[in-house]
């Protein structure tokens, strides 16, 4: 099972919006709505930011939003803040031999 | 509060085994599945497997399925991940993570994570 495809890095200025894409196949991202996104700061455990494609857990800012079209999911962060600088990983349930797959991660730099 | 607390760092020689524990508190342990995820130094997240605490069902990633065993002890609300025949490329931080949904048949997302356990494999 190959990892989901994400850009290695994205950047944006404070206050701007950025979008991180996550491309899979019709066995994972395109197959179901169990797509989630995680934020990870260096040396810390991942934190759930988006689940079920577009739902936000309690306590996560509404500046974070998710969407999906076909085999590609997206995470949009609006009104970028310094504390958003981190790695972001998408993930999805898959009907392949493995139940779950992560993306390779995207480093977000806030300028 | 809801939390997962993992055991401490380990240093092992190639060929040895390691068993990492993950103690849950603040919720009904048997109602939520646990996944194990690892992260090699400077690398991304790798899902290793999943165990339903409710019925003991497991599913392992192909890459480690011949060497890993995941178990739980409901009397102590603790999940375990044992990895055998360790290799240098098993050096990583190992995380346990709780499924988002209660009594769900498959992983859907992971809302609670342990703090991570560093496992170093070196001769």
């Amino acid at each position: 099972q190959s990892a989901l495809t994400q850009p290695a890095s994205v950047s944006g200025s404070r206050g701007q919006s950025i979008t991180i894409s996550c491309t899979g196949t019709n066995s994972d991202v395109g197959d179901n709505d169990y797509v989630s996104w995680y934020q990870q700061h260096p040396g810390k455990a991942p934190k759930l930011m988006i689940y079920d494609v577009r739902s936000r857990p309690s306590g996560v800012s509404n500046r974070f939003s998710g969407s999906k079209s076909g085999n590609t999911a997206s995470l949009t962060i609006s009104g970028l803040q310094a504390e958003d600088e981190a790695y972001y990983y998408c993930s999805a349930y898959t009907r392949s031999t493995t139940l779950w797959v992560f993306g390779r991660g995207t480093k977000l730099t806030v300028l | 509060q809801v939390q997962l607390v993992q055991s401490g760092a380990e240093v092992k020689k190639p060929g040895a085994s390691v068993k990492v524990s993950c103690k849950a508190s603040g919720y009904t342990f048997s109602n939520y599945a646990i996944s194990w995820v690892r992260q090699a130094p400077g690398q991304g997240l790798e899902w290793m497997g999943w165990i339903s605490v409710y019925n003991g069902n497991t599913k392992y990633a192909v890459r480690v399925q011949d060497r890993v065993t995941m178990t739980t002890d409901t009397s102590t609300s603790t999940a375990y991940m044992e990895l055998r025949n360790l290799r240098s490329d098993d050096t990583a931080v190992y995380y346990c993570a709780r499924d988002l949904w209660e009594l769900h048949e498959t992983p859907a997302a992971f809302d609670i994570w342990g703090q991570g356990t560093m496992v170093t494999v070196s001769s």
Side-chain angles (χ1 to χ4, degrees), chain B residues 8-71:
Chain B
E10 303 262 13
V11 179
K12 298 290 184 181
K13 294 190 181 302
S17 298
V18 68
K19 192 170 186 177
V20 180
S21 68
C22 168
K23 183 172 177 59
S25 61
Y27 70 96
T28 304
F29 179 64
S30 58
N31 285 2
Y32 293 81
I34 294 285
S35 279
W36 289 87
V37 177
R38 70 180 178 180
Q39 186 171 35
Q43 303 300 310
L45 303 174
E46 178 187 8
W47 182 82
M48 297 180 67
W50 173 93
I51 180 166
S52 167
V53 180
Y54 180 72
N55 60 23
N57 287 347
T58 56
K59 180 70 174 180
Y60 301 136
V62 170
R63 187 178 175 195
V64 296
Q65 64 183 7
D66 293 336
R67 301 189 293 127
V68 71
T69 301
M70 296 175 187
T71 57

Side-chain angles (χ1 to χ4, degrees), chain A residues 1-77:
Chain A
Q1 173 67 38
S2 298
L4 304 175
T5 300
Q6 298 181 234
S9 64
V10 298
S11 63
S13 300
R14 294 188 190 189
Q16 289 186 331
S17 297
I18 61 95
T19 297
I20 301 172
S21 61
C22 169
T23 302
T25 70
N26 55 16
S27 293
D28 40 63
V29 175
D31 174 76
N32 60 85
D33 285 343
Y34 294 140
V35 177
S36 51
W37 291 87
Y38 302 85
Q39 176 192 66
Q40 187 180 36
H41 288 107
K44 300 295 187 181
K47 175 186 176 182
L48 178 64
M49 305 302 285
I50 296 288
Y51 66 92
D52 292 356
V53 177
R54 63 184 74 251
S55 297
R56 276 189 312 277
S58 174
V60 172
S61 171
N62 59 9
R63 297 185 298 104
F64 291 83
S65 62
S67 63
K68 189 183 82 167
S69 177
N71 295 339
T72 299
S74 299
L75 173 71
T76 298
I77 309 173

